Amino acid sequence: MLYFFLGLAEVLGNIATCVMIANNRTMRTIANAYLFNLAISDLLILVLAFHRGIDTLIIDTIQSSNLFIQIRSLMTEWPIYVLVLTITVFSVERYLAICHPFKAHVLSDMSRVSRAMITIWLLGFF
């Protein structure tokens, strides 16, 4: 029961974060873009981890193909890689902002962050 309520709180918190950032123009900053990406990957981790638990019960009773197991593993690990890569890129962004503020100001724009997010999701997949 405790895990259920913790998972429910995490899902609701991540959804609230995504809704607030998406619906409020003043919340659309570079830091919040990374936060939005973290919330999406965290939601996927929760949903796919729950789904994997159900799949494990089914697979124990039914023989499945090796391809299905590989796809299931990819789909559960992909958001974890995205989470780690997002935190890494955000840390580099914060490092630049603190140690090289003038260079960071020139480099910081939403189009670069959008490209970084797409790259993160692709790298996480591969």
Side-chain angles (χ1 to χ4, degrees):
M1 286 301 283
L2 179 65
Y3 287 131
F4 172 77
F5 287 117
L6 287 174
L8 182 64
E10 192 170 356
V11 167
L12 293 176
N14 284 323
I15 289 173
T17 299
C18 291
V19 168
M20 287 298 293
I21 292 172
N23 290 334
N24 192 348
R25 283 196 176 273
T26 59
M27 297 288 290
R28 295 181 190 166
T29 64
I30 292 172
N32 286 342
Y34 289 111
L35 183 63
F36 186 84
N37 201 44
L38 287 172
I40 294 293
S41 63
D42 198 30
L43 274 170
L44 284 174
I45 290 168
L46 284 168
V47 169
L48 294 172
F50 176 74
H51 186 269
R52 185 173 182 151
I54 292 172
D55 283 350
T56 304
L57 293 173
I58 294 170
I59 288 173
D60 286 344
T61 58
I62 300 172
Q63 194 71 9
S64 69
S65 70
N66 192 25
L67 178 64
F68 176 75
I69 293 170
Q70 290 175 349
I71 290 172
R72 185 187 65 177
S73 295
L74 171 71
M75 295 308 293
T76 54
E77 292 176 14
W78 183 17
I80 295 170
Y81 294 135
V82 169
L83 187 78
V84 171
L85 289 170
T86 302
I87 291 171
T88 303
V89 170
F90 184 66
S91 297
V92 169
E93 182 94 22
R94 294 297 90 198
Y95 167 78
L96 288 173
I98 292 169
C99 295
H100 306 285
F102 297 116
K103 186 185 287 188
H105 182 69
V106 172
L107 292 175
S108 295
D109 65 337
M110 286 303 285
S111 65
R112 189 180 66 76
V113 172
S114 299
R115 288 190 307 271
M117 293 302 147
I118 291 169
T119 304
I120 285 170
W121 281 92
L122 289 173
L123 279 175
F125 182 79
F126 291 109

